């Protein structure tokens, strides 16, 4: 009885903690009504402010992504035609891109470190021919973009041609050698005004500053006001801080409630929260995890694999799938019995989890079939190392329910490289094909899906 109670407490510790917190909150609320109402109003304000600033951030991110996408298209054009650039043709391309954007002051191309092409030229003449290395205030960020091979957003800052603006710089590398730099200069005041105009309201003031404390938008004094809610956001190497402040404080409504009623309500609410959280945890575990081994089930695998593949495509990362099958598991089940078979599956699950990282996923998708998702691999061949490690782990017999059971596994490996196009269904099928190759070669080994199997994949 004591062991069962301890197990119940351990499994539902978080639910009990939340329920206890609910009880304390409501007990204090009814004991000290004014303090509780003040805390409630403050919590409501923070939720509203957080939602508001999230909306603002989302709007800015969308607007910036729309503008900065221009650099990707222009980079592709220069990569293809850099040997035969015609000045007028480049100007026409810049002009066409410029007409498709809003709040952009100019687009510029630097060949090497010198600004060579600019559109529009009018009011930007002073910038043409400027060598970035001669601009002490701008050169560090330019060098950072070149060294890191990625775009960098900076500003607002003073422009060579006059005025202020945000600048997104995107380095162009051809055959892995630095060729030049693309710059999109954004009219910061017009950009923020058009982004925020539909979102301004009578409830909140807000402002933005950069990592050096310089104002990006709005009144930076808001950061020092009492009650200010500050959050951060990152956009291509430009870390911004946001502050939201309620314009007028709203006094909480005071409610007089008897102490006894307050205690009863606090107890009932805390009990309700506890049972709801406990049931929710149980339902979530049943819906997303295998009831025998506790591993992810097919539903959770599909979800995580979709996320991992989308992440790999977006950020050019490596991803691999390991399709693991227990050799002759049916024979083991028939020989030692289903109780031993179930216990053996738990041992198998433990060994598989010991062979992977916390960021990876191991799932059981059928009786003796497991799928492992290896996410964010530094090298695509790391998947082979993991597969070899798993093969080695299963050389040792498992001792379950007084029986020593020999076992081995066969593994099919399918990888997604940084430049590939893939779907989760095709990736799983590739791993499945490689698995059958491993089985056909005598089991107790792994095989990697190669282009040789492509025909069998598409014909099936």
């Amino acid at each position: 009885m004591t062991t069962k109670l301890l197990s119940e407490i351990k499994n539902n510790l978080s639910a009990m903690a939340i329920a206890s917190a609910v009880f304390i909150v409501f007990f204090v609320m009814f004991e000290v009504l004014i303090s509780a109402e003040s805390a409630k109003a403050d919590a409501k304000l923070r939720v509203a402010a957080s939602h508001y600033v999230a909306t603002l951030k989302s709007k800015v991110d969308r607007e910036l992504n729309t503008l900065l996408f221009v650099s990707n298209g222009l980079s592709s054009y220069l990569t293809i035609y850099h040997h035969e650039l015609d000045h007028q043709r480049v100007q026409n391309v810049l002009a066409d891109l410029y007409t498709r954007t809003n709040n952009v002051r100019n687009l510029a191309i630097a060949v090497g470190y010198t600004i060579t092409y600019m559109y529009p030229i009018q009011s930007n003449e002073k910038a043409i021919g400027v060598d970035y290395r001669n601009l002490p205030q701008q050169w560090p960020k330019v060098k950072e973009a070149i060294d890191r091979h990625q775009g960098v957003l900076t500003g607002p800052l003073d422009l060579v041609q006059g005025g202020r603006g945000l600048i997104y710089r995107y380095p162009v590398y051809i055959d892995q050698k630095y060729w030049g730099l693309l710059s999109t200069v954004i009219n910061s005041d017009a950009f923020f005004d058009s982004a925020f105009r539909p979102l301004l309201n009578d409830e909140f003031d807000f402002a933005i500053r950069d990592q050096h404390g310089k104002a990006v938008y709005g009144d930076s004094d808001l950061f020092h006001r009492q009650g200010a809610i500050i959050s951060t956001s990152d956009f291509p190497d430009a870390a911004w801080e946001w502050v939201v402040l309620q314009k007028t404080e709203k006094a909480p409504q005071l409610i007089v409630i008897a102490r006894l009623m307050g205690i009863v309500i606090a107890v009932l609410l805390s009990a309700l929260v506890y049972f709801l959280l406990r049931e929710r945890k149980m339902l979530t575990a049943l819906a997303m995890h295998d009831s025998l081994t506790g591993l992810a089930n097919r539903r959770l695998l599909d979800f995580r694999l979709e996320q991992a593949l989308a992440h790999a495509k977006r950020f050019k990362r490596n991803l691999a799938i390991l399709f693991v099958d227990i050799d002759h598991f049916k024979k083991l089940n028939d020989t030692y019995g289903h109780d031993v078979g179930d216990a053996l599956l738990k041992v198998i699950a433990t060994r598989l989890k010991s062979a992977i990282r916390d960021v990876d996923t191991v799932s059981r998708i059928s009786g003796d079939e497991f799928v492992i998702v290896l996410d964010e691999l530094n090298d695509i061949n790391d998947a082979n190392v993991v597969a070899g490690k798993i093969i080695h782990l299963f050389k040792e017999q498992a001792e379950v329910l007084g029986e020593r059971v020999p076992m081995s596994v066969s593994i099919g490996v399918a990888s997604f490289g940084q430049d590939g196009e893939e779907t989760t269904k095709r990736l799983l099928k590739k791993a499945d094909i490689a698995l059958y190759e491993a089985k056909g070669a005598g089991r107790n080994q792994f095989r990697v899906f190669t282009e040789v199997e492509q025909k069998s994949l598409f014909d099936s």
Side-chain angles (χ1 to χ4, degrees):
M1 189 68 175
T2 303
T3 303
K4 184 177 180 180
L5 179 61
L6 290 175
S7 177
E8 173 79 8
I9 293 174
K10 182 178 179 181
N11 291 334
N12 297 285
L13 191 59
S14 61
M16 294 179 66
I18 295 174
S20 298
V22 170
F23 173 79
I24 294 172
V25 167
F26 278 93
F27 178 77
V28 172
M29 180 181 69
F30 294 122
E31 284 292 314
V32 190
L33 186 59
I34 295 178
S35 298
E37 285 297 321
S38 177
K40 183 179 178 181
D42 183 63
K44 184 177 180 180
L45 169 64
R46 286 187 174 275
V47 170
S50 298
H51 177 73
Y52 183 58
V53 76
T55 303
L56 296 171
K57 291 177 184 178
S58 177
K59 178 67 172 177
V60 168
D61 284 354
R62 287 198 303 271
E63 294 291 337
L64 281 174
N65 276 317
T66 299
L67 294 177
L68 304 187
F69 184 74
V70 170
S71 297
N72 295 331
L74 188 55
S75 175
S76 299
Y77 174 82
L78 294 173
T79 301
I80 297 172
Y81 296 107
H82 65 280
H83 287 305
E84 47 187 52
L85 289 181
D86 176 78
H87 185 84
Q88 188 57 49
R89 180 180 296 176
V90 174
Q91 289 296 115
N92 291 340
V93 171
L94 292 177
D96 181 68
L97 292 174
Y98 180 81
T99 59
R100 299 172 186 269
T101 61
N102 295 316
N103 304 314
V104 170
R105 173 165 178 171
N106 66 268
L107 301 171
I109 301 174
V111 179
Y113 302 98
T114 304
I115 300 176
T116 307
Y117 304 96
M118 175 81 71
Y119 190 89
I121 296 176
Q122 186 177 2
S123 77
N124 296 298
E125 297 90 342
K126 292 182 179 179
I128 299 176
V130 169
D131 190 320
Y132 286 120
R133 293 170 295 189
N134 297 328
L135 301 176
Q137 293 183 340
Q138 297 189 27
W139 172 243
K141 283 293 184 181
V142 173
K143 189 175 185 300
E144 179 182 343
I146 295 172
D147 291 343
R148 298 179 61 180
H149 293 220
Q150 65 183 39
V152 171
L153 181 68
T154 185
L157 49 76
D158 294 328
L159 305 174
V160 173
Q161 59 269 45
R164 290 176 61 80
L166 295 167
I167 305 179
Y168 180 70
R169 296 189 174 93
Y170 188 85
V172 178
Y173 278 79
I174 299 175
D175 296 329
Q176 299 183 346
K177 294 182 179 180
Y178 173 69
W179 181 86
L181 194 72
L182 310 179
S183 296
T184 302
V185 180
I186 303 168
N187 288 316
S188 52
D189 291 341
F191 170 79
F192 287 124
D193 285 343
S194 69
F196 294 145
R197 191 180 303 114
L199 303 176
L200 298 177
N201 60 43
D202 296 328
E203 187 173 3
F204 295 109
D205 276 330
F206 69 95
I208 311 171
R209 68 183 180 186
D210 62 20
Q211 63 269 41
H212 303 296
K214 295 182 179 179
V216 174
Y217 178 87
D219 183 3
S220 59
D221 288 341
L222 294 178
F223 284 91
H224 308 294
R225 303 267 186 90
Q226 185 176 3
I229 298 173
I230 300 174
S231 63
T232 60
S233 69
D234 291 313
F235 197 88
D237 292 328
W240 289 345
E241 280 190 315
W242 298 66
V243 61
V244 175
L245 185 68
Q246 190 179 32
K247 291 182 180 179
T248 56
E249 185 178 354
K250 299 178 180 179
Q253 182 181 6
L254 299 180
I255 304 173
V256 178
I257 301 175
R259 177 179 295 175
L260 181 60
M261 184 63 71
I263 295 175
V264 171
I265 292 175
V267 170
L268 290 176
L269 285 174
S270 61
L272 178 61
V273 168
Y274 170 74
F275 286 113
L276 285 176
L277 290 175
R278 189 181 70 169
E279 291 301 314
R280 181 179 179 183
K281 180 179 179 181
M282 292 174 61
L283 290 174
T284 301
L286 289 174
M288 304 298 284
H289 292 83
D290 176 50
S291 59
L292 177 63
T293 63
L295 298 178
N297 62 14
R298 184 59 181 260
R299 182 179 178 185
L300 183 55
L301 169 67
D302 290 341
F303 173 75
R304 289 186 177 174
L305 183 54
E306 287 282 358
Q307 281 195 322
L309 185 57
H311 188 268
K313 289 180 179 179
R314 181 178 180 184
F315 296 103
K316 305 297 184 183
R317 302 288 177 81
N318 297 313
L319 169 71
I321 297 292
L322 272 59
F323 211 127
V324 183
D325 184 82
I326 310 304
D327 293 335
H328 305 297
F329 183 73
K330 185 178 183 303
K331 183 178 179 181
L332 293 175
N333 234 353
D334 294 340
T335 302
Y336 296 98
H338 290 286
D339 289 344
V340 173
D342 288 347
L344 184 62
L345 286 172
K346 295 179 182 180
V347 172
I348 291 167
T350 300
R351 291 190 182 184
L352 290 177
K353 285 193 291 186
S354 71
I356 63 174
R357 305 164 300 174
D358 291 340
V359 297
D360 301 324
T361 298
V362 56
S363 63
R364 181 186 177 211
I365 62 172
S366 67
D368 63 336
E369 291 184 328
F370 300 79
V371 172
I372 298 175
V373 180
L374 301 178
D375 195 11
E376 296 188 13
L377 296 175
N378 293 325
D379 191 309
I380 206 69
N381 293 317
D382 289 347
N384 300 347
V385 176
V386 175
K389 181 179 179 181
I390 293 173
I391 295 291
H392 180 75
L393 282 175
F394 283 85
K395 291 182 181 294
E396 181 181 347
Q397 292 183 335
E399 186 169 344
V400 291
L401 301 181
E403 301 281 355
R404 292 190 62 81
V405 182
M407 58 180 177
S408 64
V409 296
S410 299
I411 303 176
V413 182
S415 302
F416 171 78
Q418 296 181 1
D419 301 319
E421 290 293 333
E422 193 58 271
T423 65
T424 57
K425 183 177 179 181
R426 283 165 54 88
L427 198 57
L428 284 168
K429 188 163 186 179
K430 288 179 179 181
D432 192 28
I433 291 174
L435 171 63
Y436 277 96
E437 288 287 329
K439 288 183 176 182
R443 303 178 188 266
N444 192 26
Q445 58 188 287
F446 72 89
R447 284 289 185 270
V448 179
F449 181 88
T450 61
E451 299 303 320
V452 175
E453 286 92 13
Q454 285 284 358
K455 188 177 186 301
S456 64
L457 173 63
F458 292 116
D459 289 345
S460 56

